[in-house]
Amino acid sequence: NSKGNMWAASAAAGPAFEGGNITSGMRAEKGAIDRIFLDEQGNLGYNILGDIPARGICGSAIIDIVACLFKAGYIDENGIITDQGFEQLNIRDSKRGPEIIIVDSQDSLKGTPVVFNQEDIRQVQLAKGAIRTAIDILLKKAGIEYKDIKSIYLAGAFGSYLNPEHCIKIRLLPPVAIDKIKNTGNAAGKGAIIALLSETQQEKARILQQKINYIELASHPDFEKIFLDNLGF
């Protein structure tokens, strides 16, 4: 929403942030690692949903691990695992490139390790590149810069559990002050309930729909260039 105008776009980010195309990816349910952080020794620490051993890693932690790896210098701006990463982390070879073992097989629920590898990093780059490109093109269309952004709202089950600092670190979101980023919960569900209970709100929604300028990203002349620029960290 800028200067009385509203702009919208849909980014084809794929399933990576839902655990799809990620080696140990899964939904945010019992046994999922939902948060990853760096401890004082520079090792990867984690939190597991539910009182059971780890089964895999869900979307919020997928962003966490990439941000932590980059922050620590274990991957470079192109997403490649560095010499420092090989020295510090427990890494093995795999068909999807060098593979970081987050949880050993003896500590996991299924007896197979929870891992994150070079191809997983690439999938995250593609997903976050698509989302950031949508943001950048919308800002360009609206004629505003990062500094003009007043608020960023993260909605949905996934958006509500994201670490804003990590989203900025991997360039998923623009470099704004952390306090401008707000988790809003299931906004679509709440909006649907409000609309169902109020004809006035339904009419407001219809008026808003007519005011929104929808941008088809794939046909935007700068899409490919901006997307390629947004793959890196």
Side-chain angles (χ1 to χ4, degrees):
N1 190 348
S2 172
K3 302 169 187 173
N5 295 311
M6 303 182 75
W7 307 84
S10 177
F17 293 143
E18 298 169 2
N21 294 342
I22 303 295
T23 307
S24 294
M26 64 175 290
R27 290 167 55 89
E29 53 193 28
K30 279 189 176 183
I33 294 174
D34 71 325
R35 189 164 53 87
I36 287 179
F37 51 87
L38 289 167
D39 66 18
E40 294 178 359
Q41 288 74 42
N43 298 313
L44 295 173
Y46 52 85
N47 180 72
I48 306 171
L49 292 175
D51 191 21
I52 63 173
R55 293 171 52 206
I57 177 172
C58 69
S60 54
I62 287 168
I63 289 178
D64 284 346
I65 189 171
V66 175
C68 288
L69 292 173
F70 184 56
K71 187 189 302 184
Y74 299 156
I75 59 174
D76 63 20
E77 62 184 16
N78 295 314
I80 305 299
I81 298 174
T82 63
D83 291 342
Q84 188 179 352
F86 280 101
E87 291 171 9
Q88 180 72 25
L89 302 169
N90 184 6
I91 294 179
R92 68 181 185 181
D93 290 329
S94 80
K95 292 180 180 178
R96 291 166 62 95
E99 190 164 76
I100 301 162
I101 299 176
I102 305 169
V103 182
D104 285 322
S105 54
Q106 62 266 28
D107 296 322
S108 72
L109 184 70
K110 297 180 179 178
T112 55
V114 177
V115 299
F116 196 73
N117 54 46
Q118 192 69 72
E119 178 59 25
D120 294 332
I121 296 170
R122 181 64 174 168
Q123 291 298 319
V124 173
Q125 287 179 275
L126 293 170
K128 71 99 181 174
I131 293 171
R132 179 60 181 272
T133 299
I135 293 170
D136 288 350
I137 289 176
L138 283 176
L139 291 176
K140 191 173 182 179
K141 283 285 187 181
I144 61 176
E145 300 178 9
Y146 299 148
K147 62 182 176 60
D148 302 317
I149 296 174
K150 293 181 180 178
S151 298
I152 294 176
Y153 296 98
L154 302 177
F158 172 55
S160 297
Y161 293 95
L162 297 182
N163 180 322
E165 182 183 344
H166 287 170
C167 290
I168 292 173
K169 187 71 180 175
I170 70 169
R171 296 179 61 232
L172 172 65
L173 296 179
V176 301
I178 296 294
D179 60 5
K180 289 185 176 182
I181 302 174
K182 300 173 175 62
N183 304 91
T184 62
N186 187 358
K190 291 175 185 175
I193 291 169
I194 291 169
L196 286 169
L197 295 175
S198 169
E199 289 186 3
T200 302
Q201 294 300 324
Q202 287 179 33
E203 183 58 28
K204 282 186 178 180
R206 279 191 285 269
I207 293 169
L208 281 175
Q209 181 187 18
Q210 293 167 6
K211 287 185 175 181
I212 294 172
N213 299 290
Y214 178 74
I215 307 303
E216 186 60 60
L217 297 178
S219 61
H220 191 280
D222 296 330
F223 175 82
E224 188 172 339
K225 179 185 180 302
I226 297 172
F227 176 69
L228 292 173
D229 288 343
N230 282 327
L231 288 178
F233 302 116

